[in-house]
Amino acid sequence: MLQRDIVIIGAGAAGLFAGIWCGRTLGAQPRRVVCLDGAKKLGAKILVAGGGRCNVTHHIVDEQQYAGSSRNAIKKVLRRFDVDQTIAFFRERGVELKREETGKLFPTTDDGRTILDAILGSTRHAKAAIVHPWRVASVCRDGDGFIITRDTPAALAGEAGFVGIDTDDEVAAVSELRAARVILATGGKSLPRTGSDGLGHEIAKALGHTITSRVFPSLVPLTIDPTHWLTKLSGLTLNSTVEVRTQAGKKLRSFTNSTLITHFGLSGPSILDISRYFTDAYLDDATTQLVLNWLPNHTPQSLDALLIDASRGSTNKLTTKRWLTEAGLPERLAEVLCIQAALIPGSLVRELTRDQRRTLVDLTAQLRVPITGDRGYTYAEVTAGGVPLAEVDVATMQSRVCPNLYLCGEVLDVDGRIGGFNFQWAWASGYVAGISSGATAHNA
Ligand SMILES: Cc1cc2nc3c(=O)[nH]c(=O)nc-3n(C[C@H](O)[C@H](O)[C@H](O)COP(=O)(O)OP(=O)(O)OC[C@H]3O[C@@H](n4cnc5c(N)ncnc54)[C@H](O)[C@@H]3O)c2cc1C
């Protein structure tokens, strides 16, 4: 049976990076490292990321921006390949990154293809071959190594459509392959049409790993009932604070950022970031609430005090709607909030009853949004859950339960906030898996 030293399953961000560093560690020897991918077109996520601009990393990356397996373990991996190394890696390939106000780093070309081409160029230099579509159906243990079985017919192989790919015709022609070492880089379940559909979890389980009891879409828009009044404001975007709270009012997590109202519910950076924490808390307790403050500079108490202040004076002609817009709300929202507070159009601030004032403050600064669910993996940027980091030696990314198996990227139980953190995890964990598997193959 055809054999390769290192077979990487999945040629996404993590798998390609692992391939580069394996190849470099082995001194760019051909026919030793091969990346297999089930997709016809490579790098789908790199190309769609950041609205097509690819948010490669963040100016400041630390473990606090991640959830999942222990932050300490995440930190150990992140520090092995940091933001400066990411910048240097792309610079070496002629790609400059620019930092935006938010701290996110993008290629100066504003085009994700620049990033993908740079990575593919590096795999070629490192003599790591890429064969696709070569979808892996199963991986079985065979002595110290593995037998990898394909589920796409061999006849489909050899459609590499990118300049800069070194393929491996021998691997492309077979349906079974032996590997001395395997790097599992199959991603999670988000955006399944790109090929990341969770089969990697099954492969990991078949090799002795567990998967966290919870696996769910993260960085995902949240849904509300389509008849809810908020959906009438579809298209509205504004900076707000979103908070996960227990029914008793305990604040669990909050984010302040842009929030977008859509016909199905809520989206935008604040919602994507909170979605992970909301779902996790909701799975613990279905009474968990999502609370929205349209005026992040105010608390309900400070807003109430402001409203009382604005109502003083018997000849005061200030309308409630005007007061809301002066406080910073867009007119459309101000109008809808007045309607929801059952106020007649043009009602004056000084005429508000105590109950009306409190209702208005609640709608503005602590609106409980009845979330019905999320938009699922098709719209999720990442997957929460996966193989626990405790089952991996983070110094090498080698499995603790299956020798010669390495894991990297989103298949692991690590998910970051929006802002480039997920790619940085893919680069760092792919780097560690690549150099450590390469070093053991070199010494074998
Ligand atoms: C719409 C969108 C936008 C995003 N934007 C950003 C962003 O701007 N910044 C950021 O940091 N992160 C972003 N992310 C998240 C980021 O893309 C992922 O975290 C990252 O790509 C994970 O890398 P990975 O290599 O682990 O997995 P993936 O990129 O999912 O790659 C896994 C690969 O494995 C292959 N595969 C799976 N199963 C098999 C199998 N059985 N056989 C062979 N091949 C297989 C798949 O075809 C795929 O190519 C975004 C994600 C999405 C969906």
Side-chain angles (χ1 to χ4, degrees), residues 8-17 35-58 66 104-106 131-139 148-149 151 184-201 203 219 377-383 408-412 414-427 429:
I8 299 160
I9 306 177
L16 289 171
F17 235 61
C35 306
L36 306 175
D37 201 291
K40 257 186 159 185
K41 289 205 166 112
L42 283 182
K45 283 195 191 165
I46 293 173
L47 294 176
V48 298
R53 298 197 300 135
C54 193
N55 174 199
V56 177
T57 187
H58 194 276
Y66 296 84
K104 297 178 182 179
L105 269 70
F106 292 89
V131 180
H132 75 106
W134 209 113
R135 185 164 163 83
V136 173
S138 63
V139 181
I148 300 164
T149 308
D151 88 346
L184 194 63
T186 44
K189 295 173 123 181
S190 55
L191 212 60
R193 69 182 159 82
T194 61
S196 316
D197 57 2
L199 187 63
H201 291 172
I203 295 173
L219 306 188
Y377 288 114
T378 311
Y379 294 93
E381 289 199 7
V382 288
T383 304
C408 58
E410 209 181 298
V411 72
L412 291 158
V414 178
D415 56 291
R417 289 182 56 189
I418 56 161
F421 301 103
N422 288 297
F423 276 136
Q424 189 60 40
W425 171 253
W427 313 138
S429 59

